Amino acid sequence: MASPLDDDEIRNDDYYSLLNVRREATQDELKVAYRRLCMLYHPDKHRDPDLKRQAEQLFNLVHEAYEVLSDPQARAIYDIYGKRGLDVDGWEVVERKRTPAEIRDEYERLQKEREERRLQQRTNPKGTISVGIDATDLFDRYEEDYEDMVGGGVPHLEINKMHISQSIEAPLTTKDTAILSGSLSTHNGNGGGTINLALRRVTSANGWGEVELGAGDTHGPLFGMKIFRNLTPRCFVTAQCGLQFSSRGVRPGFTTVLARHLDKNTMGYLQWRWGIQSSMNTSVVRDTKSSHFTFAVQLGLPHTFVMMSYQYKFQDDDQTKIKGSVKSGFFGTVVEYGAERKISRHSTLGATVSVGVPQGVSLKIKLNRASQTYFFPVHLTDQLLPSAIFYATVGPLVFYLAIQRLVIQPYMRAQKEEDLEKRRESAASNIAKKKQEAEASVLLMQESVRRIIEAEEARMGLIILNAWYGKFVTDNSRRHERAKVIDVTVPLQCLVKDSKLILTEATKSGLPGFYDPCVGEEKSLKVLYQFRGVMHQVVSGDTEPLRIPKQSHRIDADT
């Protein structure tokens, strides 16, 4: 079965770009674009044997593009699968008598089946490693105790606790999943471990159930059950009960959560827990594209508190987030603030400063790498010392900036160059073919361009003086890089009609006479043109639509 193509594969055979039409183009728009290119590439218009052969190849390519886009069924398959979907095996995916909407529905169904098969081949591992560090000796030191000790002037840091947990999921059927998890913990030299096995079954589209068995050397055997159920499209409930067996007897526990969508971005939760630490909790969570807000109130013993947190999400490539929270209860008050940022494709680094009474000051560093989480809580002081707060805030920031500049950025640049080089190598043969087609197309355009220029000059119309397409280097800090551009003056002039040039919202590398001079890199189109005897200039992004002429492109005569 044909599979959807990635962006590069689609761009290399973009029929819409070849015909210079919108992806929503009507049949009439397709016919106009097709007839125009047919007049340009028709083999009978060229006497030279080489030009005639090249024209025939390009004419066949244009005819193929029009045949596909003018057929509603073929066009629907092409939009979903790309050119490979039009091969014989692509037509076996759907029946030709189906409508485009039915073809897309069928594609969604097949995608879901493939995803289910893919799930059965994956274990979806997840893990957490937490290392607690006691650094109170940096700030809570008693100098008189160290005066007579060798090495007493050097602060002492120690790892006082550690926790490691890992889980894997093994899909048994499309409805049944087995989850195996285990954990090891140690605190000040004492510790233990647990292992759990859970079997989950999806009972319907609205719910699932789970049975859990566990054993460990700290709490003893465990038996638990959990169910999830959608009550309405906006409301669901979860219920969990368990029996913990220990030397002190059987300890039952029960937890239920009722949740409801208050609006598109807001959820409300009601939680009731009965057992060793009974409590009632209510919370409101609002999550939008730019922020995340939580407000919670809990009544219980020993944990009764009020908590409020806010997170702001910057709309940048690094997915930067800053957050702050305050939590107050019987235990005291804790204020936390921090930031989180993506440092690579699969890694996110975050740091949080926790200031509380009577907890003191702590720094929490968290690194997410794919499905693994590494957590490093560093306890700095039991007191509210301004120096500890300052170093906990400034220290990670300075360290991150140094690592970012000295390690992460050089690594990312090297990785990007390596990826680009691989893409260039894999696309080299195809780009060579496209370049040859573009050069042949430019030769075939010469006569048409001469006639277009004569007509435009007679009416003081649109004349393309120079046009370049590719990667331009304008940043002074990147002068060492070489611009990678091609001259597309002739192809653009050939697209001029009635003193107008219109390029659709598609990659320009697929236009007649164009090819990609720098695979995988950001490209743009720079045009210098004359209209009514006045000079104009414009720079357009690769996939941006462009209309020429425009008053805003005019070059001031004084400049």
Side-chain angles (χ1 to χ4, degrees):
M1 182 177 66
S3 59
L5 304 181
D6 60 32
D7 291 342
D8 288 328
E9 291 174 301
I10 291 174
R11 279 195 284 266
N12 288 336
D13 291 296
D14 191 339
Y15 289 155
Y16 293 99
S17 183
L18 176 63
L19 299 180
N20 191 28
V21 295
R22 302 174 299 119
R23 298 193 78 84
E24 304 82 14
T26 63
Q27 291 295 328
D28 290 339
E29 290 173 329
L30 289 172
K31 285 181 183 178
V32 171
Y34 173 61
R35 287 173 181 168
R36 187 175 187 191
L37 290 176
C38 282
M39 292 176 62
L40 177 65
Y41 292 142
H42 201 288
D44 295 342
K45 297 186 64 176
H46 304 279
R47 296 181 180 179
D48 184 276
D50 290 336
L51 289 178
K52 191 178 186 70
R53 177 178 53 81
Q54 293 167 349
E56 186 175 354
Q57 293 176 353
L58 294 170
F59 180 82
N60 291 337
L61 183 59
V62 170
H63 181 69
E64 175 186 307
Y66 176 71
E67 264 196 335
V68 170
L69 299 185
S70 60
D71 183 323
Q73 285 80 15
R75 185 173 179 175
I77 290 179
Y78 173 77
D79 287 345
I80 297 171
Y81 293 98
K83 189 177 179 181
R84 280 191 299 183
L86 301 168
D87 298 336
V88 176
D89 60 338
W91 287 107
E92 293 173 354
V93 175
V94 294
E95 302 173 18
R96 280 189 62 91
K97 64 183 181 181
R98 296 194 177 188
T99 65
E102 291 174 331
I103 291 174
R104 289 182 172 87
D105 290 341
E106 178 73 1
Y107 170 70
E108 295 295 335
R109 185 186 68 81
L110 294 170
Q111 278 285 81
K112 186 176 180 180
E113 288 183 359
R114 283 201 302 272
E115 185 63 27
E116 288 178 349
R117 288 196 296 269
R118 197 177 293 119
L119 281 174
Q120 294 180 21
Q121 300 171 358
R122 287 172 21 190
T123 57
N124 193 24
K126 296 180 181 179
T128 300
I129 297 178
S130 177
V131 179
I133 301 173
D134 184 353
T136 55
D137 197 35
L138 290 172
F139 300 97
D140 297 340
R141 300 185 65 201
Y142 298 94
E143 297 296 339
E144 63 274 12
D145 294 341
Y146 291 90
E147 290 177 355
D148 299 327
M149 296 177 60
V150 178
V154 180
H156 178 65
L157 305 180
E158 66 176 16
I159 296 175
N160 59 357
K161 56 184 176 181
M162 182 178 293
H163 176 80
I164 301 174
S165 64
Q166 188 75 28
S167 68
I168 57 173
E169 295 183 4
L172 306 177
T173 67
T174 55
K175 292 186 176 182
D176 299 317
T177 303
I179 305 169
L180 180 64
S181 60
S183 65
L184 293 172
S185 300
T186 178
H187 187 196
N188 291 329
N190 299 316
T194 61
I195 185 169
N196 295 70
L197 173 64
L199 298 174
R200 180 181 299 169
R201 159 159 277 205
V202 178
T203 54
S204 68
N206 292 319
W208 50 264
E210 184 177 290
V211 176
E212 181 180 10
L213 300 173
D217 55 3
T218 55
H219 299 293
L222 168 70
F223 173 76
M225 296 181 64
K226 186 176 183 180
I227 61 171
F228 169 89
R229 182 74 180 177
N230 281 315
L231 302 179
T232 68
R234 297 171 60 88
C235 182
F236 68 85
V237 63
T238 62
Q240 181 176 3
C241 62
L243 295 175
Q244 182 76 62
F245 299 89
S246 67
S247 58
R248 299 180 181 179
V250 179
R251 297 183 176 182
F254 180 78
T255 302
T256 182
V257 178
L258 176 66
R260 179 178 174 80
H261 288 273
L262 303 179
D263 61 34
K264 181 181 178 181
N265 300 307
T266 309
M267 289 287 297
Y269 298 90
L270 291 173
Q271 182 187 74
W272 178 62
R273 181 185 291 117
W274 174 80
I276 301 174
Q277 295 182 352
S278 299
S279 64
M280 293 181 62
N281 182 295
T282 181
S283 59
V284 176
V285 179
R286 180 170 179 79
D287 191 14
T288 66
K289 185 178 180 180
S290 61
S291 65
H292 182 96
F293 173 79
T294 302
F295 178 78
V297 177
Q298 178 170 304
L299 300 176
L301 291 174
H303 301 296
T304 295
F305 62 83
V306 177
M307 187 272 289
M308 183 170 61
S309 69
Y310 179 79
Q311 181 182 87
Y312 181 78
K313 307 172 187 176
F314 290 89
Q315 305 303 308
D316 58 359
D317 294 338
D318 296 323
Q319 300 176 11
T320 306
K321 303 174 184 177
I322 57 174
K323 52 189 176 180
S325 69
V326 58
K327 185 176 181 180
S328 182
F330 290 169
F331 56 83
T333 300
V334 177
V335 175
E336 292 188 345
Y337 56 91
E340 181 180 293
R341 195 173 194 184
K342 189 175 181 179
I343 58 174
S344 70
R345 184 177 180 183
H346 301 291
S347 300
T348 303
L349 180 64
T352 302
V353 179
S354 177
V355 181
V357 177
Q359 291 86 352
V361 181
S362 297
L363 171 64
K364 303 173 183 177
I365 300 173
K366 183 170 72 171
L367 172 65
N368 286 328
R369 172 68 179 171
S371 60
Q372 301 294 312
T373 300
Y374 305 90
F375 188 53
F376 303 93
V378 183
H379 186 47
L380 298 176
T381 174
D382 293 323
Q383 307 173 54
L384 293 183
L385 297 179
S387 58
I389 298 174
F390 174 80
Y391 286 113
T393 304
V394 176
L397 181 61
V398 173
F399 179 77
Y400 169 76
L401 293 176
I403 293 296
Q404 179 79 3
R405 176 163 299 227
L406 300 176
V407 179
I408 297 177
Q409 289 181 355
Y411 172 78
M412 295 299 293
R413 282 196 296 267
Q415 193 71 25
K416 185 177 180 180
E417 285 298 324
E418 184 179 341
D419 292 342
L420 280 175
E421 191 60 35
K422 289 180 180 178
R423 293 173 66 180
R424 292 191 193 103
E425 291 175 0
S426 63
S429 59
N430 189 55
I431 292 300
K433 177 184 174 184
K434 294 293 180 183
K435 181 179 179 181
Q436 186 178 5
E437 289 178 357
E439 292 172 347
S441 182
V442 170
L443 288 176
L444 297 172
M445 291 176 181
Q446 297 293 342
E447 183 61 27
S448 296
V449 167
R450 185 185 62 79
R451 291 197 300 268
I452 292 172
I453 291 177
E454 287 178 356
E456 293 297 323
E457 285 179 340
R459 66 172 71 151
M460 293 285 287
L462 177 60
I463 306 295
I464 306 297
L465 300 176
N466 289 108
W468 302 270
Y469 172 67
K471 175 186 175 183
F472 297 88
V473 178
T474 57
D475 189 348
N476 291 335
S477 63
R478 299 167 58 191
R479 283 183 175 176
H480 64 282
E481 296 185 27
R482 183 172 59 88
K484 302 172 184 177
V485 298
I486 57 174
D487 188 334
V488 291
T489 306
V490 171
L492 276 190
Q493 186 69 65
C494 193
L495 293 173
V496 172
K497 183 179 180 182
D498 299 331
S499 298
K500 293 180 182 178
L501 173 63
I502 301 176
L503 301 182
T504 61
E505 190 175 354
T507 176
K508 296 172 178 59
S509 61
L511 291 169
F514 283 63
Y515 67 93
D516 192 342
C518 45
V519 176
E521 299 184 68
E522 187 175 345
K523 293 172 282 291
S524 55
L525 175 66
K526 185 175 183 180
V527 185
L528 179 67
Y529 66 93
Q530 181 176 295
F531 180 68
R532 293 179 180 173
V534 179
M535 300 290 288
H536 296 68
Q537 182 172 286
V538 61
V539 177
S540 173
D542 186 27
T543 58
E544 294 177 3
L546 178 64
R547 296 179 67 91
I548 290 177
K550 265 191 176 182
Q551 182 71 23
S552 58
H553 300 165
R554 182 169 176 163
I555 300 176
D556 194 344
D558 295 334
T559 60

